[in-house]
Every structure is written in C-alpha cells, then in structure tokens.
C-alpha cells in the first residue's frame, strides 16, 4: 500500500525525519545563510516589485480585525545584500530599513511601480569587527530627528548614529539588558511621547507567558541612563518582534510565531505603558494563512489625511523559501 508515494513501512520510518526537517527549515535558513560582507562604501541596485492580494483565495477580502488592507507588495533583488529586514521606518515617501547584517536599506514607497532604486549603506561602526555577522545583528531600528538608534541583539547594546553620515554618536550596554541571552535579546525599540525609550527582548520559545522589557528614562545609547525592568504579557506562543508609537500615545506591538502545520503567523497588540511592572495589551488583528504573511519582523506607523497607517514588513532570512513582504493597512477604530 502506498502512502503519499512511499511504501507504508518506509513512511513510518522516514516520516518523523521528514517532519523534523520541515519544522527545522526556518531555523536552518537562519543558521546556514551566507554572511554578507558589503564593501565599506554605499551601493545601489534595483528592487523588483510585485503587487500582492491580502488573501489569494479571496481577492475581495480586505480586513483582519482592526486592520483594513490598503496595499501589499513582494520585494526582490538580484543584489545579495537585500533581505533580512528586521526593523524599518516609513516617512516622507521612503522606507528606511535595517537588515540583521547591519546594512541600512533605503528605497521609495512602491505605489504602482514595478521596480525601485534601492541604496545600501553598511554601518561600519559597531560592537566588534563587522566581518562577523553576530557583531552586526541589529533587530530593531528607530529613526527620529536626523538620528537612528539600533538595537544589537547578541551584544544587548543600543547605538545611536547620525542618519546622514552614519557616524556613531553614542553606545551603551545597559545593565538591565545584560542577562538577555544569545539571539533572544533586544528585538523591539520604541520611543514614547515623553522621551522615554522602551526595549523588548524576544525571549525564549518555551511557552512562557511573559518576556522581558526595559523602560529607559531617556536615551538608552547614553551610558548610565536610569532604567526599570518590566515584563510583557505576550500572546500565547508568540514573541515580540517590533513596536511603534501610535498617534494617541499607545504602542503597537508586532508579535510573530512559526508552527509546522500553520507556518508563519502574526498578532498585533495595542498597549498602554503605565506605571506598573507589566505591559498588557489587547489583540487587535491576526495575520495567518491564507492571508499574506511571512516572518513578520518590522513595523512602522504613519498618518495620512488623519488616518493612522500601519506598515509591516517581513524578514526573508536571506532564504529562497521565504519572501520580503511590505504590507500597508489603515488602523480602524
């Protein structure tokens, strides 16, 4: 008797190994991917842009919870430096994104275009030699007033750069973040309306209800800034990958999960940062198959004609098995 093309006895023997390999593909893509070594100077290339529906099986579908789908694109490039987007800022018709290899990506918003120019700017200064990918593993980006803040995951450091020259201005390894381990460290960075900064740790995929966060009274790239340890109650099975400030002062938190039978999925949570030690939010949207979703890691919020616009991008892990998606939504009441 055949089972999916295999003799039944062979499937029983090989089946567990096949399922294990399928489950391990996202991890293997991350571990085995090449370590890009961009040149010291900036470079330019072109992006291929393909418009995508929100739901390939129902092209009329436009809503997921409080999100109204406005547009979506799949982005690709022959330049090996493109990919790995882990944080982004949208503003003035441009996307400024960071890859987890320490390269700043800048390109215009797609609109109806099918190709876009893209600029690559490697961050030369950082913790340790840039020849090692672990020394440029940036998982969060904040852009404000001509400066950028970058959160280095494996070093648990926050660096500040001048956006124009990309020269480093300040760097710190906050004491409150030093115990975050390996590639489960700083993953999301947001500046509150009163000037405080909030950093989320990705945390372990161990079924825990909470992950760590740190609230800084000021710029966390300045050594010695007072900080308070918090915890974030995350959606079950999910981990925070980015956060952004909403116009009303609340924060929007992007959460991501991978499971063998469902693939990638994401949850969006709105939360207030009060005076307590726990950040608890309300889930407002779920992104999962058959919707357009991948390894969603980057989040930005803008305002257009009084409407709150939410931008979400995915990290393709430099893998041909994944996509770089850019999705645009309106946040409704």
């Amino acid at each position: 008797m055949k089972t999916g093309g295999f003799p039944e006895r062979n499937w029983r023997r090989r089946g567990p190994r096949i399922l294990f390999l399928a489950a391990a593909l996202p991890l293997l893509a991350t571990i085995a991917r090449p370590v890009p070594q961009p040149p010291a100077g900036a470079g330019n290339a072109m992006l291929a842009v393909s418009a995508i529906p929100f739901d390939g099986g129902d092209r009329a579908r436009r809503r997921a919870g409080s999100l109204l789908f406005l547009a979506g694109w799949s982005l690709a490039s022959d330049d090996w430096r493109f990919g790995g987007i882990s944080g982004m800022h949208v503003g003035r018709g441009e996307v400024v994104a960071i890859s987890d290899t320490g390269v700043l990506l800048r390109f215009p918003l797609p609109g109806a275009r099918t190709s876009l120019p893209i600029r690559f700017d490697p961050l030369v200064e950082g913790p340790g030699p840039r020849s090692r990918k672990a020394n440029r593993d940036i998982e969060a980006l904040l852009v404000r007033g001509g400066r950028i803040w970058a959160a280095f995951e494996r070093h648990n450091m926050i660096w500040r750069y001048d956006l124009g020259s990309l020269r480093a201005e300040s760097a710190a390894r906050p004491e409150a973040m030093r115990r975050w381990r390996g590639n489960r460290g700083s993953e999301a960075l947001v500046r509150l309306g009163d000037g405080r900064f909030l950093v989320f740790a990705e945390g372990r995929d161990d079924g825990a209800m909470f992950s760590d966060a740190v609230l800084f009274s000021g710029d966390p790239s300045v050594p010695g800034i007072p900080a308070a340890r918090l915890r974030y109650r995350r959606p079950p099975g999910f981990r925070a990958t980015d956060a952004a400030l909403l116009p009303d002062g609340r924060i929007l938190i992007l959460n991501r999960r991978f499971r063998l039978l469902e693939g990638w999925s994401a949850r969006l949570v709105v939360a207030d940062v009060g005076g307590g030690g726990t950040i608890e939010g309300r889930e407002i949207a779920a992104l999962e198959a058959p919707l357009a979703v991948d390894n969603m890691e980057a989040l930005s919020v803008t305002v257009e004609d009084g409407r709150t616009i939410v931008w979400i991008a995915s990290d393709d892990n430099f893998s041909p098995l994944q996509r770089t998606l850019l999705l645009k939504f309106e946040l409704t009441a």
Side-chain angles (χ1 to χ4, degrees):
M1 179 180 177
K2 300 282 187 178
T3 303
F6 290 101
E8 185 176 12
R9 64 179 181 275
N10 289 341
W11 169 250
R12 288 174 179 172
R13 183 172 66 250
R14 300 175 185 172
R17 283 183 288 174
I18 293 172
L19 292 176
F20 170 79
L21 289 173
L25 279 176
L27 178 61
L28 292 174
T30 302
I31 296 174
R33 64 182 170 180
V35 180
Q37 299 293 329
N44 299 296
M46 296 298 295
L47 280 181
V49 181
S50 301
I52 59 171
F54 190 38
D55 183 340
D58 180 5
R59 290 180 174 261
R61 182 175 180 180
R62 298 183 61 204
R63 182 171 290 281
S66 297
L67 294 182
L68 179 66
F69 180 73
L70 300 178
W73 304 271
S74 177
L75 309 177
S77 177
D78 291 334
D79 194 296
W80 50 271
R81 292 171 293 184
F82 179 73
I85 291 177
S86 55
M88 72 173 174
H89 171 82
V90 177
R92 298 183 179 180
E94 180 185 48
V95 176
V96 179
I98 194 71
S99 78
D100 54 16
T101 57
V103 177
L104 203 68
L105 317 175
R106 307 189 213 199
F107 56 91
L109 288 172
R113 287 174 283 189
T114 58
S115 64
L116 297 170
I118 181 170
R119 178 180 175 88
F120 300 97
D121 291 294
L123 295 182
V124 176
E125 298 176 86
R130 57 189 289 265
S131 57
R132 293 188 58 199
K133 191 261 180 191
N135 292 333
R136 293 298 181 274
D137 188 0
I138 298 172
E139 293 293 337
L141 176 76
L142 175 68
V143 179
R144 182 70 64 87
R147 289 183 170 87
I148 64 174
W149 285 260
F152 289 82
E153 182 178 45
R154 295 176 187 271
H155 290 265
N156 291 323
M157 296 188 71
I158 307 295
W159 284 58
R160 188 182 73 232
Y161 300 84
D162 176 82
L163 180 58
S165 66
L166 295 186
R167 293 182 181 274
E169 296 180 339
S170 183
R173 183 180 285 111
E175 180 63 33
M177 294 166 46
R178 291 193 181 188
R179 294 185 180 181
W180 295 352
R181 298 185 174 231
N183 65 342
R184 295 293 181 260
S186 49
E187 188 76 17
L189 171 66
V190 60
R191 182 177 178 178
L192 306 182
D194 58 8
R196 293 179 297 167
F197 285 70
L198 181 62
V199 181
F200 292 85
E202 181 178 1
R204 296 183 178 276
D205 189 13
D206 55 4
M209 296 173 57
F210 300 94
S211 54
D212 294 330
V214 177
L215 182 62
F216 293 89
S217 64
D219 186 347
S221 71
V222 177
I225 290 294
R229 291 185 175 92
L230 307 177
R231 60 181 187 169
Y232 165 57
R233 184 188 291 274
R234 57 199 196 188
F238 287 79
R239 290 178 285 178
T241 57
D242 209 351
L245 185 68
L246 291 170
D248 63 7
R250 295 177 298 167
I251 57 173
L252 187 63
I253 307 169
L254 176 64
N255 304 268
R256 177 266 326 271
R257 179 174 74 186
F258 176 82
R259 284 184 174 173
L260 176 61
L261 298 181
E262 72 179 28
W264 297 104
S265 58
R267 297 288 187 271
L268 278 174
V269 169
V270 171
D272 288 299
V273 181
T278 300
I279 300 171
E280 299 193 58
R282 176 175 60 89
E283 183 179 312
I284 62 166
L287 301 179
E288 55 195 25
L291 301 180
V293 66
D294 206 285
N295 178 26
M296 313 311 279
E297 287 214 13
L299 179 70
S300 186
V301 171
T302 61
V303 176
E304 294 182 7
D305 300 323
R307 302 179 301 163
T308 299
I309 305 299
V310 176
W311 303 83
I312 307 176
S314 66
D315 175 357
D316 68 353
N317 286 315
F318 295 99
S319 167
L321 303 177
Q322 295 177 248
R323 296 184 294 170
T324 298
L325 303 179
L326 178 63
L327 307 180
K328 179 182 181 180
F329 301 93
E330 178 185 354
L331 180 62
T332 59

mmCIF file with all atom_site columns, all heavy atoms in Angstrom, residues 137-155:
data_model
loop_
_atom_site.group_PDB
_atom_site.id
_atom_site.type_symbol
_atom_site.label_atom_id
_atom_site.label_alt_id
_atom_site.label_comp_id
_atom_site.label_asym_id
_atom_site.label_entity_id
_atom_site.label_seq_id
_atom_site.pdbx_PDB_ins_code
_atom_site.Cartn_x
_atom_site.Cartn_y
_atom_site.Cartn_z
_atom_site.occupancy
_atom_site.B_iso_or_equiv
_atom_site.pdbx_formal_charge
_atom_site.auth_seq_id
_atom_site.auth_comp_id
_atom_site.auth_asym_id
_atom_site.auth_atom_id
_atom_site.pdbx_PDB_model_num
ATOM 1   N N   . ASP A 1 137 ? 24.249 42.091 14.148 1.00 0.00 ? 137 ASP A N   1
ATOM 2   C CA  . ASP A 1 137 ? 22.905 41.528 14.201 1.00 0.00 ? 137 ASP A CA  1
ATOM 3   C C   . ASP A 1 137 ? 21.966 42.538 14.854 1.00 0.00 ? 137 ASP A C   1
ATOM 4   O O   . ASP A 1 137 ? 21.709 42.503 16.057 1.00 0.00 ? 137 ASP A O   1
ATOM 5   C CB  . ASP A 1 137 ? 22.923 40.217 14.983 1.00 0.00 ? 137 ASP A CB  1
ATOM 6   C CG  . ASP A 1 137 ? 21.591 39.483 14.910 1.00 0.00 ? 137 ASP A CG  1
ATOM 7   O OD1 . ASP A 1 137 ? 20.670 40.000 14.256 1.00 0.00 ? 137 ASP A OD1 1
ATOM 8   O OD2 . ASP A 1 137 ? 21.473 38.393 15.500 1.00 0.00 ? 137 ASP A OD2 1
ATOM 9   N N   . ILE A 1 138 ? 21.444 43.446 14.034 1.00 0.00 ? 138 ILE A N   1
ATOM 10  C CA  . ILE A 1 138 ? 20.542 44.501 14.503 1.00 0.00 ? 138 ILE A CA  1
ATOM 11  C C   . ILE A 1 138 ? 19.105 44.038 14.301 1.00 0.00 ? 138 ILE A C   1
ATOM 12  O O   . ILE A 1 138 ? 18.718 43.641 13.203 1.00 0.00 ? 138 ILE A O   1
ATOM 13  C CB  . ILE A 1 138 ? 20.802 45.813 13.738 1.00 0.00 ? 138 ILE A CB  1
ATOM 14  C CG1 . ILE A 1 138 ? 22.233 46.300 13.997 1.00 0.00 ? 138 ILE A CG1 1
ATOM 15  C CG2 . ILE A 1 138 ? 19.787 46.875 14.143 1.00 0.00 ? 138 ILE A CG2 1
ATOM 16  C CD1 . ILE A 1 138 ? 22.631 47.475 13.128 1.00 0.00 ? 138 ILE A CD1 1
ATOM 17  N N   . GLU A 1 139 ? 18.324 44.080 15.369 1.00 0.00 ? 139 GLU A N   1
ATOM 18  C CA  . GLU A 1 139 ? 16.953 43.587 15.294 1.00 0.00 ? 139 GLU A CA  1
ATOM 19  C C   . GLU A 1 139 ? 15.907 44.687 15.469 1.00 0.00 ? 139 GLU A C   1
ATOM 20  O O   . GLU A 1 139 ? 14.712 44.407 15.336 1.00 0.00 ? 139 GLU A O   1
ATOM 21  C CB  . GLU A 1 139 ? 16.735 42.502 16.339 1.00 0.00 ? 139 GLU A CB  1
ATOM 22  C CG  . GLU A 1 139 ? 17.532 41.232 16.083 1.00 0.00 ? 139 GLU A CG  1
ATOM 23  C CD  . GLU A 1 139 ? 17.079 40.485 14.838 1.00 0.00 ? 139 GLU A CD  1
ATOM 24  O OE1 . GLU A 1 139 ? 15.920 40.674 14.425 1.00 0.00 ? 139 GLU A OE1 1
ATOM 25  O OE2 . GLU A 1 139 ? 17.886 39.725 14.267 1.00 0.00 ? 139 GLU A OE2 1
ATOM 26  N N   . ALA A 1 140 ? 16.330 45.901 15.771 1.00 0.00 ? 140 ALA A N   1
ATOM 27  C CA  . ALA A 1 140 ? 15.356 46.987 15.942 1.00 0.00 ? 140 ALA A CA  1
ATOM 28  C C   . ALA A 1 140 ? 15.975 48.299 15.502 1.00 0.00 ? 140 ALA A C   1
ATOM 29  O O   . ALA A 1 140 ? 17.172 48.542 15.709 1.00 0.00 ? 140 ALA A O   1
ATOM 30  C CB  . ALA A 1 140 ? 14.892 47.075 17.396 1.00 0.00 ? 140 ALA A CB  1
ATOM 31  N N   . LEU A 1 141 ? 15.141 49.145 14.898 1.00 0.00 ? 141 LEU A N   1
ATOM 32  C CA  . LEU A 1 141 ? 15.588 50.424 14.359 1.00 0.00 ? 141 LEU A CA  1
ATOM 33  C C   . LEU A 1 141 ? 14.591 51.500 14.743 1.00 0.00 ? 141 LEU A C   1
ATOM 34  O O   . LEU A 1 141 ? 13.378 51.309 14.662 1.00 0.00 ? 141 LEU A O   1
ATOM 35  C CB  . LEU A 1 141 ? 15.689 50.346 12.832 1.00 0.00 ? 141 LEU A CB  1
ATOM 36  C CG  . LEU A 1 141 ? 16.050 51.645 12.100 1.00 0.00 ? 141 LEU A CG  1
ATOM 37  C CD1 . LEU A 1 141 ? 17.534 51.941 12.271 1.00 0.00 ? 141 LEU A CD1 1
ATOM 38  C CD2 . LEU A 1 141 ? 15.707 51.532 10.618 1.00 0.00 ? 141 LEU A CD2 1
ATOM 39  N N   . LEU A 1 142 ? 15.123 52.652 15.166 1.00 0.00 ? 142 LEU A N   1
ATOM 40  C CA  . LEU A 1 142 ? 14.293 53.823 15.457 1.00 0.00 ? 142 LEU A CA  1
ATOM 41  C C   . LEU A 1 142 ? 14.919 55.013 14.751 1.00 0.00 ? 142 LEU A C   1
ATOM 42  O O   . LEU A 1 142 ? 16.123 55.243 14.864 1.00 0.00 ? 142 LEU A O   1
ATOM 43  C CB  . LEU A 1 142 ? 14.227 54.073 16.967 1.00 0.00 ? 142 LEU A CB  1
ATOM 44  C CG  . LEU A 1 142 ? 13.502 55.340 17.426 1.00 0.00 ? 142 LEU A CG  1
ATOM 45  C CD1 . LEU A 1 142 ? 12.008 55.230 17.128 1.00 0.00 ? 142 LEU A CD1 1
ATOM 46  C CD2 . LEU A 1 142 ? 13.720 55.575 18.917 1.00 0.00 ? 142 LEU A CD2 1
ATOM 47  N N   . VAL A 1 143 ? 14.117 55.762 14.011 1.00 0.00 ? 143 VAL A N   1
ATOM 48  C CA  . VAL A 1 143 ? 14.567 56.956 13.294 1.00 0.00 ? 143 VAL A CA  1
ATOM 49  C C   . VAL A 1 143 ? 13.814 58.152 13.847 1.00 0.00 ? 143 VAL A C   1
ATOM 50  O O   . VAL A 1 143 ? 12.578 58.150 13.898 1.00 0.00 ? 143 VAL A O   1
ATOM 51  C CB  . VAL A 1 143 ? 14.324 56.826 11.777 1.00 0.00 ? 143 VAL A CB  1
ATOM 52  C CG1 . VAL A 1 143 ? 14.784 58.093 11.062 1.00 0.00 ? 143 VAL A CG1 1
ATOM 53  C CG2 . VAL A 1 143 ? 15.042 55.604 11.209 1.00 0.00 ? 143 VAL A CG2 1
ATOM 54  N N   . ARG A 1 144 ? 14.574 59.180 14.239 1.00 0.00 ? 144 ARG A N   1
ATOM 55  C CA  . ARG A 1 144 ? 13.931 60.378 14.803 1.00 0.00 ? 144 ARG A CA  1
ATOM 56  C C   . ARG A 1 144 ? 14.888 61.559 14.694 1.00 0.00 ? 144 ARG A C   1
ATOM 57  O O   . ARG A 1 144 ? 16.025 61.482 15.153 1.00 0.00 ? 144 ARG A O   1
ATOM 58  C CB  . ARG A 1 144 ? 13.549 60.150 16.264 1.00 0.00 ? 144 ARG A CB  1
ATOM 59  C CG  . ARG A 1 144 ? 12.823 61.299 16.940 1.00 0.00 ? 144 ARG A CG  1
ATOM 60  C CD  . ARG A 1 144 ? 11.417 61.484 16.423 1.00 0.00 ? 144 ARG A CD  1
ATOM 61  N NE  . ARG A 1 144 ? 10.594 60.312 16.742 1.00 0.00 ? 144 ARG A NE  1
ATOM 62  C CZ  . ARG A 1 144 ? 9.944  60.167 17.882 1.00 0.00 ? 144 ARG A CZ  1
ATOM 63  N NH1 . ARG A 1 144 ? 10.005 61.102 18.812 1.00 0.00 ? 144 ARG A NH1 1
ATOM 64  N NH2 . ARG A 1 144 ? 9.200  59.101 18.082 1.00 0.00 ? 144 ARG A NH2 1
ATOM 65  N N   . GLY A 1 145 ? 14.426 62.644 14.063 1.00 0.00 ? 145 GLY A N   1
ATOM 66  C CA  . GLY A 1 145 ? 15.164 63.893 14.038 1.00 0.00 ? 145 GLY A CA  1
ATOM 67  C C   . GLY A 1 145 ? 16.579 63.810 13.496 1.00 0.00 ? 145 GLY A C   1
ATOM 68  O O   . GLY A 1 145 ? 17.492 64.399 14.073 1.00 0.00 ? 145 GLY A O   1
ATOM 69  N N   . GLY A 1 146 ? 16.775 63.099 12.382 1.00 0.00 ? 146 GLY A N   1
ATOM 70  C CA  . GLY A 1 146 ? 18.098 63.020 11.780 1.00 0.00 ? 146 GLY A CA  1
ATOM 71  C C   . GLY A 1 146 ? 19.049 62.057 12.463 1.00 0.00 ? 146 GLY A C   1
ATOM 72  O O   . GLY A 1 146 ? 20.239 62.043 12.163 1.00 0.00 ? 146 GLY A O   1
ATOM 73  N N   . ARG A 1 147 ? 18.539 61.247 13.381 1.00 0.00 ? 147 ARG A N   1
ATOM 74  C CA  . ARG A 1 147 ? 19.363 60.237 14.052 1.00 0.00 ? 147 ARG A CA  1
ATOM 75  C C   . ARG A 1 147 ? 18.670 58.890 13.990 1.00 0.00 ? 147 ARG A C   1
ATOM 76  O O   . ARG A 1 147 ? 17.451 58.794 13.837 1.00 0.00 ? 147 ARG A O   1
ATOM 77  C CB  . ARG A 1 147 ? 19.616 60.622 15.513 1.00 0.00 ? 147 ARG A CB  1
ATOM 78  C CG  . ARG A 1 147 ? 20.544 61.801 15.697 1.00 0.00 ? 147 ARG A CG  1
ATOM 79  C CD  . ARG A 1 147 ? 20.800 62.067 17.168 1.00 0.00 ? 147 ARG A CD  1
ATOM 80  N NE  . ARG A 1 147 ? 21.865 63.029 17.358 1.00 0.00 ? 147 ARG A NE  1
ATOM 81  C CZ  . ARG A 1 147 ? 21.691 64.337 17.378 1.00 0.00 ? 147 ARG A CZ  1
ATOM 82  N NH1 . ARG A 1 147 ? 20.480 64.828 17.222 1.00 0.00 ? 147 ARG A NH1 1
ATOM 83  N NH2 . ARG A 1 147 ? 22.711 65.151 17.557 1.00 0.00 ? 147 ARG A NH2 1
ATOM 84  N N   . ILE A 1 148 ? 19.460 57.839 14.124 1.00 0.00 ? 148 ILE A N   1
ATOM 85  C CA  . ILE A 1 148 ? 18.894 56.498 14.204 1.00 0.00 ? 148 ILE A CA  1
ATOM 86  C C   . ILE A 1 148 ? 19.455 55.802 15.442 1.00 0.00 ? 148 ILE A C   1
ATOM 87  O O   . ILE A 1 148 ? 20.587 56.032 15.852 1.00 0.00 ? 148 ILE A O   1
ATOM 88  C CB  . ILE A 1 148 ? 19.181 55.654 12.943 1.00 0.00 ? 148 ILE A CB  1
ATOM 89  C CG1 . ILE A 1 148 ? 20.690 55.395 12.760 1.00 0.00 ? 148 ILE A CG1 1
ATOM 90  C CG2 . ILE A 1 148 ? 18.611 56.317 11.713 1.00 0.00 ? 148 ILE A CG2 1
ATOM 91  C CD1 . ILE A 1 148 ? 20.993 54.453 11.616 1.00 0.00 ? 148 ILE A CD1 1
ATOM 92  N N   . TRP A 1 149 ? 18.612 54.970 16.045 1.00 0.00 ? 149 TRP A N   1
ATOM 93  C CA  . TRP A 1 149 ? 19.012 54.114 17.154 1.00 0.00 ? 149 TRP A CA  1
ATOM 94  C C   . TRP A 1 149 ? 18.911 52.667 16.680 1.00 0.00 ? 149 TRP A C   1
ATOM 95  O O   . TRP A 1 149 ? 17.904 52.287 16.056 1.00 0.00 ? 149 TRP A O   1
ATOM 96  C CB  . TRP A 1 149 ? 18.106 54.324 18.359 1.00 0.00 ? 149 TRP A CB  1
ATOM 97  C CG  . TRP A 1 149 ? 18.342 55.579 19.126 1.00 0.00 ? 149 TRP A CG  1
ATOM 98  C CD1 . TRP A 1 149 ? 19.037 55.714 20.293 1.00 0.00 ? 149 TRP A CD1 1
ATOM 99  C CD2 . TRP A 1 149 ? 17.874 56.897 18.809 1.00 0.00 ? 149 TRP A CD2 1
ATOM 100 N NE1 . TRP A 1 149 ? 19.034 57.034 20.712 1.00 0.00 ? 149 TRP A NE1 1
ATOM 101 C CE2 . TRP A 1 149 ? 18.325 57.775 19.821 1.00 0.00 ? 149 TRP A CE2 1
ATOM 102 C CE3 . TRP A 1 149 ? 17.104 57.417 17.761 1.00 0.00 ? 149 TRP A CE3 1
ATOM 103 C CZ2 . TRP A 1 149 ? 18.039 59.130 19.818 1.00 0.00 ? 149 TRP A CZ2 1
ATOM 104 C CZ3 . TRP A 1 149 ? 16.821 58.771 17.749 1.00 0.00 ? 149 TRP A CZ3 1
ATOM 105 C CH2 . TRP A 1 149 ? 17.294 59.613 18.768 1.00 0.00 ? 149 TRP A CH2 1
ATOM 106 N N   . ALA A 1 150 ? 19.920 51.885 16.952 1.00 0.00 ? 150 ALA A N   1
ATOM 107 C CA  . ALA A 1 150 ? 19.964 50.491 16.535 1.00 0.00 ? 150 ALA A CA  1
ATOM 108 C C   . ALA A 1 150 ? 20.182 49.601 17.750 1.00 0.00 ? 150 ALA A C   1
ATOM 109 O O   . ALA A 1 150 ? 21.058 49.880 18.580 1.00 0.00 ? 150 ALA A O   1
ATOM 110 C CB  . ALA A 1 150 ? 21.074 50.259 15.510 1.00 0.00 ? 150 ALA A CB  1
ATOM 111 N N   . ALA A 1 151 ? 19.369 48.540 17.846 1.00 0.00 ? 151 ALA A N   1
ATOM 112 C CA  . ALA A 1 151 ? 19.495 47.584 18.952 1.00 0.00 ? 151 ALA A CA  1
ATOM 113 C C   . ALA A 1 151 ? 20.222 46.347 18.450 1.00 0.00 ? 151 ALA A C   1
ATOM 114 O O   . ALA A 1 151 ? 19.720 45.642 17.563 1.00 0.00 ? 151 ALA A O   1
ATOM 115 C CB  . ALA A 1 151 ? 18.123 47.217 19.492 1.00 0.00 ? 151 ALA A CB  1
ATOM 116 N N   . PHE A 1 152 ? 21.409 46.095 19.001 1.00 0.00 ? 152 PHE A N   1
ATOM 117 C CA  . PHE A 1 152 ? 22.217 44.940 18.632 1.00 0.00 ? 152 PHE A CA  1
ATOM 118 C C   . PHE A 1 152 ? 21.833 43.770 19.537 1.00 0.00 ? 152 PHE A C   1
ATOM 119 O O   . PHE A 1 152 ? 22.066 43.811 20.752 1.00 0.00 ? 152 PHE A O   1
ATOM 120 C CB  . PHE A 1 152 ? 23.709 45.257 18.779 1.00 0.00 ? 152 PHE A CB  1
ATOM 121 C CG  . PHE A 1 152 ? 24.219 46.213 17.737 1.00 0.00 ? 152 PHE A CG  1
ATOM 122 C CD1 . PHE A 1 152 ? 24.045 47.586 17.876 1.00 0.00 ? 152 PHE A CD1 1
ATOM 123 C CD2 . PHE A 1 152 ? 24.883 45.751 16.613 1.00 0.00 ? 152 PHE A CD2 1
ATOM 124 C CE1 . PHE A 1 152 ? 24.520 48.473 16.926 1.00 0.00 ? 152 PHE A CE1 1
ATOM 125 C CE2 . PHE A 1 152 ? 25.368 46.621 15.649 1.00 0.00 ? 152 PHE A CE2 1
ATOM 126 C CZ  . PHE A 1 152 ? 25.185 47.980 15.801 1.00 0.00 ? 152 PHE A CZ  1
ATOM 127 N N   . GLU A 1 153 ? 21.259 42.730 18.928 1.00 0.00 ? 153 GLU A N   1
ATOM 128 C CA  . GLU A 1 153 ? 20.665 41.661 19.717 1.00 0.00 ? 153 GLU A CA  1
ATOM 129 C C   . GLU A 1 153 ? 21.689 40.868 20.519 1.00 0.00 ? 153 GLU A C   1
ATOM 130 O O   . GLU A 1 153 ? 21.577 40.716 21.731 1.00 0.00 ? 153 GLU A O   1
ATOM 131 C CB  . GLU A 1 153 ? 19.882 40.712 18.806 1.00 0.00 ? 153 GLU A CB  1
ATOM 132 C CG  . GLU A 1 153 ? 19.187 39.600 19.562 1.00 0.00 ? 153 GLU A CG  1
ATOM 133 C CD  . GLU A 1 153 ? 18.381 38.711 18.652 1.00 0.00 ? 153 GLU A CD  1
ATOM 134 O OE1 . GLU A 1 153 ? 18.880 38.330 17.582 1.00 0.00 ? 153 GLU A OE1 1
ATOM 135 O OE2 . GLU A 1 153 ? 17.246 38.382 19.020 1.00 0.00 ? 153 GLU A OE2 1
ATOM 136 N N   . ARG A 1 154 ? 22.692 40.327 19.880 1.00 0.00 ? 154 ARG A N   1
ATOM 137 C CA  . ARG A 1 154 ? 23.602 39.413 20.573 1.00 0.00 ? 154 ARG A CA  1
ATOM 138 C C   . ARG A 1 154 ? 24.504 40.125 21.579 1.00 0.00 ? 154 ARG A C   1
ATOM 139 O O   . ARG A 1 154 ? 24.998 39.506 22.514 1.00 0.00 ? 154 ARG A O   1
ATOM 140 C CB  . ARG A 1 154 ? 24.437 38.638 19.551 1.00 0.00 ? 154 ARG A CB  1
ATOM 141 C CG  . ARG A 1 154 ? 23.589 37.723 18.683 1.00 0.00 ? 154 ARG A CG  1
ATOM 142 C CD  . ARG A 1 154 ? 24.406 37.037 17.624 1.00 0.00 ? 154 ARG A CD  1
ATOM 143 N NE  . ARG A 1 154 ? 23.546 36.306 16.712 1.00 0.00 ? 154 ARG A NE  1
ATOM 144 C CZ  . ARG A 1 154 ? 23.153 35.048 16.884 1.00 0.00 ? 154 ARG A CZ  1
ATOM 145 N NH1 . ARG A 1 154 ? 23.556 34.386 17.955 1.00 0.00 ? 154 ARG A NH1 1
ATOM 146 N NH2 . ARG A 1 154 ? 22.382 34.451 16.002 1.00 0.00 ? 154 ARG A NH2 1
ATOM 147 N N   . HIS A 1 155 ? 24.717 41.425 21.379 1.00 0.00 ? 155 HIS A N   1
ATOM 148 C CA  . HIS A 1 155 ? 25.528 42.200 22.318 1.00 0.00 ? 155 HIS A CA  1
ATOM 149 C C   . HIS A 1 155 ? 24.680 42.937 23.348 1.00 0.00 ? 155 HIS A C   1
ATOM 150 O O   . HIS A 1 155 ? 25.229 43.510 24.293 1.00 0.00 ? 155 HIS A O   1
ATOM 151 C CB  . HIS A 1 155 ? 26.392 43.209 21.560 1.00 0.00 ? 155 HIS A CB  1
ATOM 152 C CG  . HIS A 1 155 ? 27.498 42.585 20.771 1.00 0.00 ? 155 HIS A CG  1
ATOM 153 N ND1 . HIS A 1 155 ? 28.783 42.449 21.268 1.00 0.00 ? 155 HIS A ND1 1
ATOM 154 C CD2 . HIS A 1 155 ? 27.518 42.040 19.524 1.00 0.00 ? 155 HIS A CD2 1
ATOM 155 C CE1 . HIS A 1 155 ? 29.549 41.865 20.362 1.00 0.00 ? 155 HIS A CE1 1
ATOM 156 N NE2 . HIS A 1 155 ? 28.801 41.608 19.293 1.00 0.00 ? 155 HIS A NE2 1
#
